[in-house]
């Protein structure tokens, strides 16, 4: 009987995992550039260097691929915005790092959320995560009105207003956000 050798099976499994990772990274890259409704399987396959059938074999459907890709992007965002709770300087620096990378894309997505129900759902999740981030970074003892104010100060639209509309440099954006957060957190 002709049995496959274990090292060949392991090599095949590793190759399959590598291919799946490439496909997922291709989808994530496209999601950073486009709305999810504009990401086609053909584009993902081309970017990953595989056939559409290979994409479907690994993920089943376009929806499942995008679900996994968006989950990966959310995990990336969470890691990117990580800082020690209570450390205002590090929190704002991490937040501005994130906005420098994806802020323009997020603003475009926010402007188009009424066109795509899945995008609207994802943006709602993003807003909820942003509020949790504010709670985590600036203290769980905050009352709702103060949390609302901190959410606004740390929002992508605040970054856009300062960075894009007013033309401020990155350092100025961080300074304005830090000062505003500190003034809001100061006890009366």
């Amino acid at each position: 009987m002709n049995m496959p050798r274990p090292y060949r099976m392991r090599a095949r499994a590793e190759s399959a995992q590598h291919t799946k990772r490439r496909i997922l990274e291709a989808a994530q890259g496209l999601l950073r550039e486009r709305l999810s409704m504009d990401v086609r399987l053909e584009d993902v396959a081309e970017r990953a260097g595989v056939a559409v059938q290979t994409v479907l074999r690994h993920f089943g459907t376009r929806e499942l691929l995008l679900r996994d890709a968006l989950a990966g992007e959310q995990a990336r965002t969470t890691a990117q915005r990580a800082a020690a709770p209570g450390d205002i300087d590090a929190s704002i620096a991490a937040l501005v790092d994130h906005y420098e990378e994806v802020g323009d894309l997020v603003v475009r997505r926010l402007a188009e959320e009424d066109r795509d129900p899945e995008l609207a759902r994802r943006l709602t999740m993003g807003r909820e995560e942003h509020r949790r981030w504010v709670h985590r970074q600036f203290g769980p003892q905050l009352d709702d009105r103060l949390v609302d104010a901190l959410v606004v100060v740390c929002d992508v639209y605040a970054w856009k207003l300062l960075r894009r509309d007013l033309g401020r440099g990155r350092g100025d954006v961080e300074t304005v956000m830090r000062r505003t957060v500190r003034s809001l957190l100061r006890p009366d």
Side-chain angles (χ1 to χ4, degrees):
M1 180 146 91
N2 203 1
M3 298 281 291
R5 295 187 179 167
Y7 65 88
R8 283 190 185 156
M9 291 172 59
R10 185 173 39 246
R12 269 193 213 132
E14 288 172 0
S15 177
Q17 283 296 54
H18 177 71
T19 299
K20 186 173 185 174
R21 203 171 26 257
R22 265 193 356 256
I23 293 167
L24 197 55
E25 288 170 358
Q28 289 168 332
L30 288 166
L31 284 169
R32 284 185 220 113
E33 300 165 12
R34 307 175 185 174
L35 296 173
S36 58
M37 61 195 267
D38 296 331
V39 174
R40 300 174 330 128
L41 285 176
E42 294 81 5
D43 300 330
V44 173
E46 182 180 331
R47 188 170 282 195
V50 299
V52 171
Q53 192 56 42
T54 302
V55 174
L56 292 172
R57 187 171 53 251
H58 282 280
F59 291 92
T61 65
R62 176 185 174 276
E63 290 69 29
L64 291 173
L65 167 63
L66 293 181
R67 183 200 65 196
D68 288 356
L70 287 165
E73 285 298 289
Q74 180 59 44
R76 185 172 175 266
T77 295
T78 300
Q80 192 175 39
R81 290 172 62 162
D87 185 339
I88 294 170
D89 293 346
S91 296
I92 296 301
L95 183 68
V96 173
D97 279 345
H98 173 70
Y99 289 157
E100 288 292 315
E101 183 178 328
V102 298
D104 293 320
L105 175 64
V106 172
V107 169
R108 281 195 308 274
R109 284 183 174 168
L110 288 165
E112 297 179 322
E113 74 180 300
D114 59 336
R115 292 180 44 212
D116 181 355
E118 177 60 21
L119 176 61
R121 188 179 74 73
R122 287 283 172 184
L123 290 170
T124 296
M125 290 170 51
R127 288 180 185 104
E128 292 165 356
E129 178 55 33
H130 182 64
R131 190 171 187 84
R132 283 190 295 275
W133 181 86
V134 166
H135 268 286
R136 184 173 53 251
Q137 297 311 117
F138 304 123
Q141 73 282 2
L142 303 173
D143 69 44
D144 282 342
R145 282 181 286 183
L146 185 52
V147 170
D148 291 344
L150 291 165
V151 165
V152 169
V153 169
C154 296
D155 192 76
V156 69
Y157 282 125
W159 169 84
K160 178 193 176 289
L161 176 66
L162 293 164
R163 190 80 163 103
R164 301 296 183 234
D165 299 349
L166 297 176
R168 301 295 187 257
R170 178 206 163 94
D172 291 337
V173 172
E174 286 187 35
T175 298
V176 168
M177 287 182 161
R178 270 195 311 268
R179 284 181 181 170
T180 308
V181 167
R182 281 198 175 99
S183 68
L184 288 168
L185 293 175
R186 242 184 248 131
D188 293 331

